[in-house]
Amino acid sequence: MTTAALIVAAGRGERAGGGTPKQWRPLAGKRVIDHTIAHFRASDVVDSIVVVVSDGDRPHWETLEGVQLVTGGADRSGSVRNGLLALQGSGVTRVLIHDAARACVPVALINAVATALDAHPAAAPGLPVTDALWSGADNTVTGTQDRNGLFAAQTPQGFHFDAILSAHLAADHAAADDVELARAAGLPVAIVPGAADNLKITSPEDFDRANRILGAEMDIRTGTGFDVHRFGPGDHVTLCGVAVPHDRGLQGHSDADVGMHSVTDAIYGALAQGDIGRHFPPSDPQWKGADSAVFLRHAVEMATNAGYRISNIDCTLICEFPKIGPHAAVMQSRMAEIMGMSQDRVSVKATTSEKLGFTGRGEGIAAQAVATLVQP
Ligand code: CTP
Ligand code: MG
């Protein structure tokens, strides 16, 4: 059994306001269709993906990777038919036909439709109508309609491949969806419970709703960092990028900036990328006396390259002396500058340990930090 997803994306999106068709427009960090494809990729039941596109949209679809591209037809049915014909003879036994414009489709719904095909030749998601239904004309209600037994149809609509291909080839008119054609060909269609979030982006306002739905599934990561450096001879300590006069210095291989190290490790931690020692081994002489901003910039760059934005940083320095309060604001702005963040997302604060432990005895300074990374 081989299952293909057939995503139709050849429409013009007139109701969404014309211009660039809706499937190619930006939504929550990528394009509408990129979300749609990502959800099918995330499903274990999908073996391959076909995307039906319009020739004229080449600048948009030529960046798609890992999908088979097929030219669309004059209407939705024509586009589906072209996709089915392209799959003919490929060994595909089941197909899940989906609107590119349904970018918020839950992976669980894709799987539920596919599972229903074990017992039925056709299955599709339907959402029971819950609002009262009217008919109307000229802004006036002209009648009421019993909603009992009515469903709003969604996609993906799943079919045994040969059955839906025959239904399409036998069809003598364009249909609103593939369930209509399947039924015309005598195929029973099982209803799978639809999902309220599975909206079809149709009008400009739908982008806002889709944004909210997709925003809720943002990948949010947290990392923590902890570091300690011992006092030694010197006349200042470097903390969060700022030289603070003191009667001793901090010992370490680099500039021993314990605050910046804890923040750097928090970012590496959120990315599950180890710690500073992994990326800048202390055994390597080139990092001797290094400005720790090099380490921090590297961690920030790794986060950016992995598609994350650093949402906020909170760093706590733990020492009795030097007093941090008078320097905290400049530390905050220096850290924000190095990380390319706004200052209101970077916190630098300090505490004593009530003269207890090694920080209390003035043997060294400790720092801990938390970083939150988000990927839209
Ligand atoms: N579709 C298609 N080929 C067509 C028409 C529509 O592949 N000739 C696709 C659309 O790209 C969309 C899905 O079918 O993903 C559902 O159609 P609809 O929401 O009506 O999209 P559009 O036809 O693009 O929008 P509109 O009707 O507002 O112009
Ligand atoms: Mg349309």
Side-chain angles (χ1 to χ4, degrees), residues 228-266:
V228 174
H229 282 273
R230 175 192 296 276
F231 280 124
D235 59 5
H236 73 280
V237 293
T238 302
L239 295 172
C240 291
V242 176
V244 178
H246 192 48
D247 56 5
R248 281 173 296 171
L250 286 174
Q251 295 185 324
H253 191 70
S254 63
D255 61 8
D257 188 333
V258 64
M260 204 178 288
H261 293 178
S262 71
V263 171
T264 306
D265 275 351

PDB file of all heavy atoms in Angstrom, residues 228-266:
ATOM      1  N   VAL A 228      31.082  29.326  36.415  1.00  0.00           N
ATOM      2  CA  VAL A 228      31.801  29.836  37.597  1.00  0.00           C
ATOM      3  C   VAL A 228      33.220  30.184  37.177  1.00  0.00           C
ATOM      4  O   VAL A 228      33.830  29.438  36.409  1.00  0.00           O
ATOM      5  CB  VAL A 228      31.878  28.740  38.708  1.00  0.00           C
ATOM      6  CG1 VAL A 228      32.748  29.225  39.868  1.00  0.00           C
ATOM      7  CG2 VAL A 228      30.489  28.360  39.202  1.00  0.00           C
ATOM      8  N   HIS A 229      33.736  31.320  37.629  1.00  0.00           N
ATOM      9  CA  HIS A 229      35.174  31.602  37.486  1.00  0.00           C
ATOM     10  C   HIS A 229      35.727  32.050  38.832  1.00  0.00           C
ATOM     11  O   HIS A 229      35.045  32.698  39.620  1.00  0.00           O
ATOM     12  CB  HIS A 229      35.445  32.655  36.402  1.00  0.00           C
ATOM     13  CG  HIS A 229      35.371  32.078  35.017  1.00  0.00           C
ATOM     14  ND1 HIS A 229      36.432  31.490  34.390  1.00  0.00           N
ATOM     15  CD2 HIS A 229      34.316  31.972  34.166  1.00  0.00           C
ATOM     16  CE1 HIS A 229      36.062  31.061  33.189  1.00  0.00           C
ATOM     17  NE2 HIS A 229      34.772  31.337  33.028  1.00  0.00           N
ATOM     18  N   ARG A 230      36.966  31.664  39.067  1.00  0.00           N
ATOM     19  CA  ARG A 230      37.660  31.896  40.332  1.00  0.00           C
ATOM     20  C   ARG A 230      38.376  33.261  40.278  1.00  0.00           C
ATOM     21  O   ARG A 230      38.863  33.656  39.227  1.00  0.00           O
ATOM     22  CB  ARG A 230      38.681  30.770  40.483  1.00  0.00           C
ATOM     23  CG  ARG A 230      39.605  30.843  41.646  1.00  0.00           C
ATOM     24  CD  ARG A 230      40.736  29.808  41.444  1.00  0.00           C
ATOM     25  NE  ARG A 230      40.250  28.436  41.439  1.00  0.00           N
ATOM     26  CZ  ARG A 230      40.037  27.716  42.545  1.00  0.00           C
ATOM     27  NH1 ARG A 230      40.280  28.237  43.723  1.00  0.00           N
ATOM     28  NH2 ARG A 230      39.611  26.478  42.456  1.00  0.00           N
ATOM     29  N   PHE A 231      38.389  33.947  41.411  1.00  0.00           N
ATOM     30  CA  PHE A 231      39.165  35.201  41.491  1.00  0.00           C
ATOM     31  C   PHE A 231      40.660  34.908  41.501  1.00  0.00           C
ATOM     32  O   PHE A 231      41.101  33.875  42.004  1.00  0.00           O
ATOM     33  CB  PHE A 231      38.830  35.977  42.779  1.00  0.00           C
ATOM     34  CG  PHE A 231      37.552  36.764  42.697  1.00  0.00           C
ATOM     35  CD1 PHE A 231      36.543  36.556  43.635  1.00  0.00           C
ATOM     36  CD2 PHE A 231      37.358  37.732  41.711  1.00  0.00           C
ATOM     37  CE1 PHE A 231      35.365  37.287  43.587  1.00  0.00           C
ATOM     38  CE2 PHE A 231      36.177  38.472  41.659  1.00  0.00           C
ATOM     39  CZ  PHE A 231      35.176  38.245  42.602  1.00  0.00           C
ATOM     40  N   GLY A 232      41.419  35.825  40.927  1.00  0.00           N
ATOM     41  CA  GLY A 232      42.879  35.767  40.953  1.00  0.00           C
ATOM     42  C   GLY A 232      43.395  37.192  40.927  1.00  0.00           C
ATOM     43  O   GLY A 232      42.609  38.139  41.093  1.00  0.00           O
ATOM     44  N   PRO A 233      44.677  37.356  40.703  1.00  0.00           N
ATOM     45  CA  PRO A 233      45.228  38.705  40.679  1.00  0.00           C
ATOM     46  C   PRO A 233      44.624  39.530  39.537  1.00  0.00           C
ATOM     47  O   PRO A 233      44.246  38.977  38.509  1.00  0.00           O
ATOM     48  CB  PRO A 233      46.728  38.494  40.439  1.00  0.00           C
ATOM     49  CG  PRO A 233      46.969  37.028  40.515  1.00  0.00           C
ATOM     50  CD  PRO A 233      45.676  36.311  40.456  1.00  0.00           C
ATOM     51  N   GLY A 234      44.529  40.825  39.732  1.00  0.00           N
ATOM     52  CA  GLY A 234      44.015  41.675  38.663  1.00  0.00           C
ATOM     53  C   GLY A 234      43.403  42.940  39.207  1.00  0.00           C
ATOM     54  O   GLY A 234      43.327  43.142  40.437  1.00  0.00           O
ATOM     55  N   ASP A 235      42.971  43.839  38.305  1.00  0.00           N
ATOM     56  CA  ASP A 235      42.404  45.108  38.756  1.00  0.00           C
ATOM     57  C   ASP A 235      40.985  45.335  38.223  1.00  0.00           C
ATOM     58  O   ASP A 235      40.404  46.398  38.389  1.00  0.00           O
ATOM     59  CB  ASP A 235      43.317  46.275  38.345  1.00  0.00           C
ATOM     60  CG  ASP A 235      43.526  46.338  36.838  1.00  0.00           C
ATOM     61  OD1 ASP A 235      42.888  45.539  36.102  1.00  0.00           O
ATOM     62  OD2 ASP A 235      44.327  47.179  36.399  1.00  0.00           O
ATOM     63  N   HIS A 236      40.445  44.323  37.506  1.00  0.00           N
ATOM     64  CA  HIS A 236      39.060  44.452  37.028  1.00  0.00           C
ATOM     65  C   HIS A 236      38.514  43.068  36.683  1.00  0.00           C
ATOM     66  O   HIS A 236      39.293  42.117  36.508  1.00  0.00           O
ATOM     67  CB  HIS A 236      38.980  45.367  35.802  1.00  0.00           C
ATOM     68  CG  HIS A 236      39.520  44.725  34.553  1.00  0.00           C
ATOM     69  ND1 HIS A 236      40.878  44.652  34.285  1.00  0.00           N
ATOM     70  CD2 HIS A 236      38.882  44.093  33.536  1.00  0.00           C
ATOM     71  CE1 HIS A 236      41.051  44.017  33.132  1.00  0.00           C
ATOM     72  NE2 HIS A 236      39.864  43.664  32.664  1.00  0.00           N
ATOM     73  N   VAL A 237      37.206  42.978  36.587  1.00  0.00           N
ATOM     74  CA  VAL A 237      36.577  41.750  36.078  1.00  0.00           C
ATOM     75  C   VAL A 237      35.737  42.146  34.865  1.00  0.00           C
ATOM     76  O   VAL A 237      35.221  43.265  34.809  1.00  0.00           O
ATOM     77  CB  VAL A 237      35.663  41.066  37.139  1.00  0.00           C
ATOM     78  CG1 VAL A 237      36.497  40.537  38.293  1.00  0.00           C
ATOM     79  CG2 VAL A 237      34.606  42.030  37.665  1.00  0.00           C
ATOM     80  N   THR A 238      35.632  41.217  33.890  1.00  0.00           N
ATOM     81  CA  THR A 238      34.783  41.484  32.728  1.00  0.00           C
ATOM     82  C   THR A 238      33.498  40.685  32.910  1.00  0.00           C
ATOM     83  O   THR A 238      33.529  39.451  33.009  1.00  0.00           O
ATOM     84  CB  THR A 238      35.499  41.075  31.427  1.00  0.00           C
ATOM     85  OG1 THR A 238      36.722  41.802  31.352  1.00  0.00           O
ATOM     86  CG2 THR A 238      34.643  41.395  30.205  1.00  0.00           C
ATOM     87  N   LEU A 239      32.390  41.393  32.993  1.00  0.00           N
ATOM     88  CA  LEU A 239      31.092  40.736  33.221  1.00  0.00           C
ATOM     89  C   LEU A 239      30.089  41.236  32.199  1.00  0.00           C
ATOM     90  O   LEU A 239      29.881  42.451  32.061  1.00  0.00           O
ATOM     91  CB  LEU A 239      30.582  41.038  34.635  1.00  0.00           C
ATOM     92  CG  LEU A 239      31.436  40.480  35.792  1.00  0.00           C
ATOM     93  CD1 LEU A 239      30.932  41.022  37.129  1.00  0.00           C
ATOM     94  CD2 LEU A 239      31.406  38.954  35.781  1.00  0.00           C
ATOM     95  N   CYS A 240      29.490  40.337  31.460  1.00  0.00           N
ATOM     96  CA  CYS A 240      28.514  40.685  30.416  1.00  0.00           C
ATOM     97  C   CYS A 240      29.080  41.774  29.503  1.00  0.00           C
ATOM     98  O   CYS A 240      28.384  42.728  29.142  1.00  0.00           O
ATOM     99  CB  CYS A 240      27.176  41.092  31.018  1.00  0.00           C
ATOM    100  SG  CYS A 240      26.319  39.696  31.783  1.00  0.00           S
ATOM    101  N   GLY A 241      30.342  41.606  29.148  1.00  0.00           N
ATOM    102  CA  GLY A 241      30.964  42.483  28.156  1.00  0.00           C
ATOM    103  C   GLY A 241      31.454  43.814  28.702  1.00  0.00           C
ATOM    104  O   GLY A 241      31.918  44.655  27.936  1.00  0.00           O
ATOM    105  N   VAL A 242      31.367  44.005  30.028  1.00  0.00           N
ATOM    106  CA  VAL A 242      31.733  45.299  30.602  1.00  0.00           C
ATOM    107  C   VAL A 242      32.872  45.115  31.616  1.00  0.00           C
ATOM    108  O   VAL A 242      32.789  44.241  32.494  1.00  0.00           O
ATOM    109  CB  VAL A 242      30.512  45.948  31.298  1.00  0.00           C
ATOM    110  CG1 VAL A 242      30.911  47.256  31.981  1.00  0.00           C
ATOM    111  CG2 VAL A 242      29.391  46.180  30.289  1.00  0.00           C
ATOM    112  N   ALA A 243      33.931  45.928  31.494  1.00  0.00           N
ATOM    113  CA  ALA A 243      35.049  45.864  32.449  1.00  0.00           C
ATOM    114  C   ALA A 243      34.650  46.631  33.702  1.00  0.00           C
ATOM    115  O   ALA A 243      34.358  47.827  33.654  1.00  0.00           O
ATOM    116  CB  ALA A 243      36.302  46.465  31.827  1.00  0.00           C
ATOM    117  N   VAL A 244      34.613  45.909  34.831  1.00  0.00           N
ATOM    118  CA  VAL A 244      34.214  46.524  36.100  1.00  0.00           C
ATOM    119  C   VAL A 244      35.443  46.561  37.005  1.00  0.00           C
ATOM    120  O   VAL A 244      36.030  45.507  37.303  1.00  0.00           O
ATOM    121  CB  VAL A 244      33.105  45.688  36.778  1.00  0.00           C
ATOM    122  CG1 VAL A 244      32.718  46.306  38.121  1.00  0.00           C
ATOM    123  CG2 VAL A 244      31.888  45.562  35.864  1.00  0.00           C
ATOM    124  N   PRO A 245      35.870  47.749  37.457  1.00  0.00           N
ATOM    125  CA  PRO A 245      37.052  47.840  38.310  1.00  0.00           C
ATOM    126  C   PRO A 245      36.856  47.028  39.589  1.00  0.00           C
ATOM    127  O   PRO A 245      35.767  47.054  40.192  1.00  0.00           O
ATOM    128  CB  PRO A 245      37.139  49.343  38.646  1.00  0.00           C
ATOM    129  CG  PRO A 245      36.319  50.020  37.601  1.00  0.00           C
ATOM    130  CD  PRO A 245      35.253  49.052  37.197  1.00  0.00           C
ATOM    131  N   HIS A 246      37.891  46.289  40.007  1.00  0.00           N
ATOM    132  CA  HIS A 246      37.803  45.460  41.210  1.00  0.00           C
ATOM    133  C   HIS A 246      39.240  45.204  41.680  1.00  0.00           C
ATOM    134  O   HIS A 246      40.178  45.336  40.885  1.00  0.00           O
ATOM    135  CB  HIS A 246      37.086  44.141  40.882  1.00  0.00           C
ATOM    136  CG  HIS A 246      36.697  43.355  42.093  1.00  0.00           C
ATOM    137  ND1 HIS A 246      36.047  43.912  43.165  1.00  0.00           N
ATOM    138  CD2 HIS A 246      36.852  42.029  42.393  1.00  0.00           C
ATOM    139  CE1 HIS A 246      35.824  42.976  44.079  1.00  0.00           C
ATOM    140  NE2 HIS A 246      36.312  41.818  43.630  1.00  0.00           N
ATOM    141  N   ASP A 247      39.387  44.811  42.947  1.00  0.00           N
ATOM    142  CA  ASP A 247      40.759  44.604  43.418  1.00  0.00           C
ATOM    143  C   ASP A 247      41.316  43.236  43.020  1.00  0.00           C
ATOM    144  O   ASP A 247      42.456  42.901  43.319  1.00  0.00           O
ATOM    145  CB  ASP A 247      40.858  44.832  44.938  1.00  0.00           C
ATOM    146  CG  ASP A 247      39.888  43.941  45.700  1.00  0.00           C
ATOM    147  OD1 ASP A 247      39.215  43.085  45.048  1.00  0.00           O
ATOM    148  OD2 ASP A 247      39.778  44.100  46.933  1.00  0.00           O
ATOM    149  N   ARG A 248      40.523  42.445  42.355  1.00  0.00           N
ATOM    150  CA  ARG A 248      40.990  41.162  41.815  1.00  0.00           C
ATOM    151  C   ARG A 248      40.429  40.966  40.407  1.00  0.00           C
ATOM    152  O   ARG A 248      39.500  41.676  40.001  1.00  0.00           O
ATOM    153  CB  ARG A 248      40.528  40.009  42.715  1.00  0.00           C
ATOM    154  CG  ARG A 248      41.401  39.870  43.969  1.00  0.00           C
ATOM    155  CD  ARG A 248      40.849  38.862  44.938  1.00  0.00           C
ATOM    156  NE  ARG A 248      39.550  39.282  45.458  1.00  0.00           N
ATOM    157  CZ  ARG A 248      38.764  38.505  46.186  1.00  0.00           C
ATOM    158  NH1 ARG A 248      39.110  37.271  46.465  1.00  0.00           N
ATOM    159  NH2 ARG A 248      37.631  38.969  46.629  1.00  0.00           N
ATOM    160  N   GLY A 249      40.954  40.003  39.679  1.00  0.00           N
ATOM    161  CA  GLY A 249      40.419  39.672  38.363  1.00  0.00           C
ATOM    162  C   GLY A 249      39.839  38.274  38.394  1.00  0.00           C
ATOM    163  O   GLY A 249      39.914  37.583  39.421  1.00  0.00           O
ATOM    164  N   LEU A 250      39.226  37.847  37.296  1.00  0.00           N
ATOM    165  CA  LEU A 250      38.711  36.474  37.213  1.00  0.00           C
ATOM    166  C   LEU A 250      39.672  35.660  36.361  1.00  0.00           C
ATOM    167  O   LEU A 250      40.169  36.131  35.329  1.00  0.00           O
ATOM    168  CB  LEU A 250      37.309  36.453  36.594  1.00  0.00           C
ATOM    169  CG  LEU A 250      36.174  36.951  37.503  1.00  0.00           C
ATOM    170  CD1 LEU A 250      34.866  37.024  36.726  1.00  0.00           C
ATOM    171  CD2 LEU A 250      36.015  36.047  38.735  1.00  0.00           C
ATOM    172  N   GLN A 251      39.913  34.420  36.816  1.00  0.00           N
ATOM    173  CA  GLN A 251      40.828  33.561  36.077  1.00  0.00           C
ATOM    174  C   GLN A 251      40.063  32.705  35.078  1.00  0.00           C
ATOM    175  O   GLN A 251      38.970  32.231  35.371  1.00  0.00           O
ATOM    176  CB  GLN A 251      41.570  32.637  37.056  1.00  0.00           C
ATOM    177  CG  GLN A 251      42.476  33.410  37.990  1.00  0.00           C
ATOM    178  CD  GLN A 251      43.298  32.483  38.865  1.00  0.00           C
ATOM    179  OE1 GLN A 251      42.825  31.432  39.292  1.00  0.00           O
ATOM    180  NE2 GLN A 251      44.527  32.884  39.137  1.00  0.00           N
ATOM    181  N   GLY A 252      40.671  32.498  33.937  1.00  0.00           N
ATOM    182  CA  GLY A 252      40.029  31.643  32.941  1.00  0.00           C
ATOM    183  C   GLY A 252      40.864  31.650  31.691  1.00  0.00           C
ATOM    184  O   GLY A 252      41.796  32.447  31.568  1.00  0.00           O
ATOM    185  N   HIS A 253      40.516  30.786  30.769  1.00  0.00           N
ATOM    186  CA  HIS A 253      41.294  30.687  29.550  1.00  0.00           C
ATOM    187  C   HIS A 253      41.035  31.897  28.651  1.00  0.00           C
ATOM    188  O   HIS A 253      41.950  32.513  28.131  1.00  0.00           O
ATOM    189  CB  HIS A 253      40.936  29.389  28.826  1.00  0.00           C
ATOM    190  CG  HIS A 253      41.881  29.101  27.712  1.00  0.00           C
ATOM    191  ND1 HIS A 253      43.189  28.731  27.918  1.00  0.00           N
ATOM    192  CD2 HIS A 253      41.719  29.182  26.377  1.00  0.00           C
ATOM    193  CE1 HIS A 253      43.784  28.575  26.753  1.00  0.00           C
ATOM    194  NE2 HIS A 253      42.912  28.843  25.809  1.00  0.00           N
ATOM    195  N   SER A 254      39.744  32.267  28.517  1.00  0.00           N
ATOM    196  CA  SER A 254      39.385  33.440  27.718  1.00  0.00           C
ATOM    197  C   SER A 254      39.403  34.659  28.645  1.00  0.00           C
ATOM    198  O   SER A 254      40.169  34.710  29.597  1.00  0.00           O
ATOM    199  CB  SER A 254      37.995  33.243  27.114  1.00  0.00           C
ATOM    200  OG  SER A 254      37.045  33.143  28.169  1.00  0.00           O
ATOM    201  N   ASP A 255      38.529  35.620  28.396  1.00  0.00           N
ATOM    202  CA  ASP A 255      38.483  36.795  29.283  1.00  0.00           C
ATOM    203  C   ASP A 255      37.701  36.503  30.570  1.00  0.00           C
ATOM    204  O   ASP A 255      37.474  37.394  31.377  1.00  0.00           O
ATOM    205  CB  ASP A 255      37.881  38.004  28.544  1.00  0.00           C
ATOM    206  CG  ASP A 255      36.455  37.753  28.081  1.00  0.00           C
ATOM    207  OD1 ASP A 255      35.874  36.713  28.461  1.00  0.00           O
ATOM    208  OD2 ASP A 255      35.910  38.577  27.333  1.00  0.00           O
ATOM    209  N   ALA A 256      37.265  35.234  30.741  1.00  0.00           N
ATOM    210  CA  ALA A 256      36.603  34.766  31.971  1.00  0.00           C
ATOM    211  C   ALA A 256      35.303  35.512  32.267  1.00  0.00           C
ATOM    212  O   ALA A 256      34.925  35.681  33.422  1.00  0.00           O
ATOM    213  CB  ALA A 256      37.555  34.850  33.168  1.00  0.00           C
ATOM    214  N   ASP A 257      34.608  35.920  31.194  1.00  0.00           N
ATOM    215  CA  ASP A 257      33.334  36.636  31.379  1.00  0.00           C
ATOM    216  C   ASP A 257      32.235  35.621  31.720  1.00  0.00           C
ATOM    217  O   ASP A 257      31.564  35.059  30.858  1.00  0.00           O
ATOM    218  CB  ASP A 257      32.981  37.411  30.104  1.00  0.00           C
ATOM    219  CG  ASP A 257      31.784  38.330  30.298  1.00  0.00           C
ATOM    220  OD1 ASP A 257      30.936  38.038  31.168  1.00  0.00           O
ATOM    221  OD2 ASP A 257      31.694  39.321  29.562  1.00  0.00           O
ATOM    222  N   VAL A 258      32.095  35.411  33.012  1.00  0.00           N
ATOM    223  CA  VAL A 258      31.216  34.346  33.511  1.00  0.00           C
ATOM    224  C   VAL A 258      29.752  34.580  33.091  1.00  0.00           C
ATOM    225  O   VAL A 258      29.022  33.637  32.768  1.00  0.00           O
ATOM    226  CB  VAL A 258      31.426  34.235  35.049  1.00  0.00           C
ATOM    227  CG1 VAL A 258      31.006  35.501  35.751  1.00  0.00           C
ATOM    228  CG2 VAL A 258      30.750  33.042  35.642  1.00  0.00           C
ATOM    229  N   GLY A 259      29.335  35.852  33.050  1.00  0.00           N
ATOM    230  CA  GLY A 259      27.957  36.174  32.659  1.00  0.00           C
ATOM    231  C   GLY A 259      27.709  35.825  31.208  1.00  0.00           C
ATOM    232  O   GLY A 259      26.731  35.146  30.859  1.00  0.00           O
ATOM    233  N   MET A 260      28.632  36.264  30.350  1.00  0.00           N
ATOM    234  CA  MET A 260      28.443  36.003  28.923  1.00  0.00           C
ATOM    235  C   MET A 260      28.538  34.511  28.626  1.00  0.00           C
ATOM    236  O   MET A 260      27.837  33.997  27.759  1.00  0.00           O
ATOM    237  CB  MET A 260      29.472  36.793  28.108  1.00  0.00           C
ATOM    238  CG  MET A 260      28.989  37.035  26.690  1.00  0.00           C
ATOM    239  SD  MET A 260      30.136  37.993  25.715  1.00  0.00           S
ATOM    240  CE  MET A 260      30.004  39.616  26.399  1.00  0.00           C
ATOM    241  N   HIS A 261      29.373  33.803  29.370  1.00  0.00           N
ATOM    242  CA  HIS A 261      29.470  32.357  29.163  1.00  0.00           C
ATOM    243  C   HIS A 261      28.157  31.661  29.516  1.00  0.00           C
ATOM    244  O   HIS A 261      27.730  30.728  28.830  1.00  0.00           O
ATOM    245  CB  HIS A 261      30.599  31.763  30.018  1.00  0.00           C
ATOM    246  CG  HIS A 261      31.967  32.207  29.595  1.00  0.00           C
ATOM    247  ND1 HIS A 261      33.119  31.840  30.243  1.00  0.00           N
ATOM    248  CD2 HIS A 261      32.367  33.012  28.575  1.00  0.00           C
ATOM    249  CE1 HIS A 261      34.170  32.388  29.651  1.00  0.00           C
ATOM    250  NE2 HIS A 261      33.727  33.114  28.631  1.00  0.00           N
ATOM    251  N   SER A 262      27.527  32.107  30.600  1.00  0.00           N
ATOM    252  CA  SER A 262      26.269  31.433  30.987  1.00  0.00           C
ATOM    253  C   SER A 262      25.191  31.676  29.930  1.00  0.00           C
ATOM    254  O   SER A 262      24.423  30.772  29.594  1.00  0.00           O
ATOM    255  CB  SER A 262      25.808  31.891  32.377  1.00  0.00           C
ATOM    256  OG  SER A 262      25.348  33.229  32.353  1.00  0.00           O
ATOM    257  N   VAL A 263      25.156  32.890  29.374  1.00  0.00           N
ATOM    258  CA  VAL A 263      24.157  33.184  28.333  1.00  0.00           C
ATOM    259  C   VAL A 263      24.461  32.365  27.072  1.00  0.00           C
ATOM    260  O   VAL A 263      23.563  31.786  26.444  1.00  0.00           O
ATOM    261  CB  VAL A 263      24.143  34.699  28.014  1.00  0.00           C
ATOM    262  CG1 VAL A 263      23.288  34.990  26.792  1.00  0.00           C
ATOM    263  CG2 VAL A 263      23.640  35.488  29.225  1.00  0.00           C
ATOM    264  N   THR A 264      25.737  32.289  26.706  1.00  0.00           N
ATOM    265  CA  THR A 264      26.132  31.532  25.508  1.00  0.00           C
ATOM    266  C   THR A 264      25.733  30.060  25.673  1.00  0.00           C
ATOM    267  O   THR A 264      25.157  29.455  24.765  1.00  0.00           O
ATOM    268  CB  THR A 264      27.654  31.661  25.295  1.00  0.00           C
ATOM    269  OG1 THR A 264      28.003  33.046  25.263  1.00  0.00           O
ATOM    270  CG2 THR A 264      28.091  30.991  24.003  1.00  0.00           C
ATOM    271  N   ASP A 265      26.006  29.511  26.851  1.00  0.00           N
ATOM    272  CA  ASP A 265      25.641  28.111  27.091  1.00  0.00           C
ATOM    273  C   ASP A 265      24.125  27.907  27.106  1.00  0.00           C
ATOM    274  O   ASP A 265      23.635  26.845  26.715  1.00  0.00           O
ATOM    275  CB  ASP A 265      26.240  27.623  28.419  1.00  0.00           C
ATOM    276  CG  ASP A 265      27.675  27.130  28.236  1.00  0.00           C
ATOM    277  OD1 ASP A 265      28.120  27.012  27.071  1.00  0.00           O
ATOM    278  OD2 ASP A 265      28.344  26.868  29.252  1.00  0.00           O
ATOM    279  N   ALA A 266      23.382  28.915  27.548  1.00  0.00           N
ATOM    280  CA  ALA A 266      21.915  28.795  27.535  1.00  0.00           C
ATOM    281  C   ALA A 266      21.418  28.677  26.092  1.00  0.00           C
ATOM    282  O   ALA A 266      20.518  27.883  25.793  1.00  0.00           O
ATOM    283  CB  ALA A 266      21.275  30.001  28.234  1.00  0.00           C
TER     284      ALA A 266
END
